[in-house]
Amino acid sequence: DGGITQSPKYLFRKEGQNVTLSCEQNLNHDAMYWYRQDPGQGLRLIYYSQIVNDFQKGDIAEGYSVSREKKESFPLTVTSAQKNPTAFYLCASSILGGDAGANVLTFGAGSRLTVL
Amino acid sequence: SQKIEQNSEALNIQEGKTATLTCNYTNYSPAYLQWYRQDPGRGPVFLLLIRENEKEKRKERLKVTFDTTLKQSLFHITASQPADSATYLCASGSARQLTFGSGTQLTVLP
């Protein structure tokens, strides 16, 4: 079945450590996204990528880094520079230009990061 | 800056009634609005998209309206069931990225 796989589902990190969240899709989608979700808040865009080897900062990119070496993969690194990294992280993908420009996103199941 | 807002209060309704959720936008005119459903600990799932030139869209028990005068979209679930209990998110944006509201948590009581 086509979809998006995020791993790990749960991750604990000590302060000062970098962690990498994995996101893989087999939908053949061009665009991929990382969102952060905090309780009572909407999804906030961290980074997005429309093609391989290219990505753009979203609204809250500070303290995060990404790479897009393959179409299927868009890993997110939460660095020690991120002041408040405890959150639920969601990866998504979409067709570019589908439905006359309306991005319909397919999401993964999410990764919950807790900093101890 | 453009904003998309949902009533952050939780909504409780009795099974069989119609649930109505509201999404308001300010400082821009979106070409479309989308609605997603999110269950606890899961990623959102796309439900419906409505364009600015469409007044209403339906899918089974779901109905979405788009009022560009009021700058508002309404999301209705008719004949609601306890399985409809979830958080519902509205979203809008450009071809590059979507902006999401904070969601409305719906609980359908048996």
Side-chain angles (χ1 to χ4, degrees):
Chain A
D1 288 335
I4 297 181
T5 301
Q6 289 187 240
S7 62
K9 178 71 174 172
Y10 300 96
L11 183 61
F12 297 89
R13 185 193 98 175
K14 292 183 180 179
E15 284 192 20
Q17 289 181 334
N18 293 355
V19 293
T20 297
L21 307 180
S22 169
C23 178
E24 304 278 333
Q25 55 102 355
N26 61 4
L27 299 166
N28 200 33
H29 285 173
D30 293 302
M32 297 187 73
Y33 311 81
W34 275 104
Y35 285 87
R36 169 181 170 140
Q37 187 173 34
D38 294 283
Q41 297 193 38
L43 278 66
R44 292 183 290 166
L45 183 64
I46 304 172
Y47 269 99
Y48 66 98
S49 168
Q50 296 187 310
I51 56 172
V52 174
N53 292 323
D54 187 56
F55 46 83
Q56 307 296 327
K57 292 182 180 180
D59 300 319
I60 55 165
E62 184 176 351
Y64 300 98
S65 66
V66 293
S67 62
R68 186 89 186 276
E69 297 178 0
K70 298 186 301 182
K71 185 175 183 178
E72 304 79 22
S73 179
F74 192 40
L76 173 74
T77 297
V78 185
T79 75
S80 56
Q82 169 49 234
K83 300 293 183 216
N84 185 21
T86 294
F88 190 50
Y89 291 89
L90 287 159
C91 180
S93 69
S94 73
I95 298 171
L96 266 185
D99 204 5
N103 272 6
V104 172
L105 300 187
T106 300
F107 283 88
S111 293
R112 186 167 299 280
L113 172 63
T114 303
V115 174
L116 304 173
Chain B
S1 61
Q2 60 189 45
K3 289 181 67 174
I4 189 160
E5 294 178 323
Q6 297 181 252
N7 186 347
S8 59
E9 292 181 11
L11 177 63
N12 296 333
I13 64 165
Q14 209 64 40
E15 182 176 6
K17 302 291 187 185
T18 296
T20 299
L21 286 65
T22 304
C23 178
N24 296 294
Y25 57 91
T26 55
N27 299 330
Y28 75 118
S29 297
Y32 60 86
L33 284 165
Q34 300 182 27
W35 285 88
Y36 290 77
R37 169 184 172 141
Q38 185 176 23
D39 291 289
R42 308 291 298 272
V45 175
F46 171 75
L47 296 174
L48 280 169
L49 179 151
I50 185 166
R51 298 190 177 282
E52 60 180 338
N53 60 351
E54 297 174 319
K55 289 282 195 293
E56 179 181 297
K57 203 123 181 223
R58 290 176 184 262
K59 178 183 177 182
E60 298 173 351
R61 294 185 295 110
L62 308 180
K63 184 179 83 171
V64 174
T65 62
F66 195 167
D67 189 327
T68 55
T69 301
L70 293 178
K71 293 184 178 293
Q72 180 180 85
S73 173
L74 298 179
F75 177 81
H76 307 271
I77 305 176
T78 58
S80 60
Q81 305 166 0
D84 295 325
S85 299
T87 296
Y88 292 86
L89 306 168
C90 69
S92 185
S94 67
R96 291 180 179 273
Q97 56 177 290
L98 278 183
T99 299
F100 285 81
S102 57
T104 298
Q105 184 176 345
L106 171 68
T107 301
V108 180
L109 304 168

